[in-house]
């Protein structure tokens, strides 16, 4: 990785801050992670157009095991994430670049409600599991393999980037009455002064098969 990347990673380790998301009143993912020199891809205008499509009937609950995004060549195990005392979601460990996490106290992917899957865009050593998330387009698919040997397939409706200080909690986390999925990572450019990303990339998808 470029020397600049290693340098920023060193500052991260000294800071000791993690990837978090508030699931209470005014919060969003607040990633503090290393940034590649060129930066991760960000959603373009076309990615913000919402794809049409009906969600299928909810599936019974079963533990999600992996997230698979063929378009990005992502195939990663899922670990449970829980809320910290401050109401934020704990981050996946930063020592594995191919690991994502799901909010274990929220809806299970495939069941009714909005399931949350989070992953680092990068870690101190380089790009991580959701580095390419901002490059997804509406109509692409995301698979969640489950412990019941079934796969919940979601179709992407939109890909957006939101500033941390203007994060639309209800839009992102709210229950729409159907099975949906949110994939979340950091984005919106890197703030050198604050040593963190300025916002979050959010993929909105519905259960399609």
């Amino acid at each position: 990785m470029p020397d600049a990347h290693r340098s920023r990673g060193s500052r991260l380790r000294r800071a000791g801050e993690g990837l978090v998301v508030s699931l209470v009143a005014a919060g969003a993912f607040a990633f503090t992670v290393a940034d590649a020199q060129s930066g991760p891809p960000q959603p373009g205008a076309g990615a913000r157009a919402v794809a049409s499509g009906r969600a299928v009937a909810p599936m019974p609950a079963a533990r999600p095991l992996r997230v698979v995004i063929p378009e990005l060549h992502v195939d990663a195990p899922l670990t449970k994430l829980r809320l910290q005392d401050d109401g934020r979601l704990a981050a996946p460990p930063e020592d594995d670049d191919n690991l994502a996490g799901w909010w274990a106290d929220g809806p299970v992917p495939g069941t009714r409600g909005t399931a949350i899957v989070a992953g680092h865009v990068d870690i101190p050593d380089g790009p991580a599991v959701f580095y390419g998330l901002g490059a997804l387009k509406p109509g692409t698919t995301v698979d969640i393999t489950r412990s019941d040997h079934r796969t919940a397939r979601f179709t992407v409706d939109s890909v957006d980037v939101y500033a941390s200080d203007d994060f639309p909690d209800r839009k992102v986390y709210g229950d729409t009455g159907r099975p949906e999925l949110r994939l979340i990572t950091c984005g919106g450019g890197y703030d050198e002064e604050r040593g963190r990303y300025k916002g979050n990339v959010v993929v909105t998808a519905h259960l399609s098969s």
Side-chain angles (χ1 to χ4, degrees):
M1 298 304 297
D3 290 341
H5 197 159
R6 292 197 188 98
S7 175
R8 189 169 292 162
S10 298
R11 293 200 297 273
L12 165 68
R13 284 187 283 271
R14 289 197 297 271
E17 296 182 18
L19 154 67
V20 290
V21 59
S22 169
L23 295 176
V24 293
F29 275 93
F31 294 57
T32 306
V33 289
D35 179 33
Q37 243 177 358
S38 60
Q42 298 299 296
R48 298 190 182 99
V50 177
S52 60
R54 288 187 176 182
V56 299
M59 302 170 69
R63 178 174 176 170
L65 302 178
R66 303 186 72 86
V67 55
V68 180
I69 311 174
E71 185 78 12
L72 302 180
H73 307 289
V74 168
D75 185 349
L78 288 169
T79 187
K80 290 182 178 180
L81 302 178
R82 298 192 183 279
L83 296 184
Q84 301 174 144
D85 292 341
D86 61 0
R88 295 183 172 191
L89 194 65
E94 291 184 359
D95 58 357
D96 189 340
D97 63 3
N98 192 48
L99 179 67
W102 65 286
W103 181 35
D105 294 322
V108 175
T111 63
R112 182 189 182 280
T114 300
I116 306 297
V117 171
H120 289 292
V121 68
D122 50 19
I123 58 176
D125 292 335
V129 59
F130 281 172
Y131 186 84
L133 202 63
L136 282 181
K137 298 291 189 294
T140 55
T141 59
V142 177
D143 290 343
I144 304 292
T145 60
R146 309 176 351 141
S147 61
D148 60 359
H149 306 292
R150 300 177 69 186
T151 296
R153 172 159 291 178
F154 295 86
T155 296
V156 173
D157 295 317
S158 63
V159 186
D160 299 281
V161 60
Y162 300 112
S164 295
D165 58 1
D166 191 29
F167 193 86
D169 296 88
R170 290 186 179 181
K171 179 179 179 181
V172 173
Y173 304 130
D175 185 347
T176 65
R178 66 178 189 170
E180 293 198 356
L181 177 69
R182 302 290 184 271
L183 304 177
I184 308 180
T185 193
C186 59
Y190 194 82
D191 187 331
E192 293 283 356
E193 184 175 339
R194 298 175 67 187
R196 56 178 288 177
Y197 283 92
K198 298 176 182 178
N200 301 105
V201 172
V202 178
V203 173
T204 296
H206 66 275
L207 184 69
S208 53
S209 68

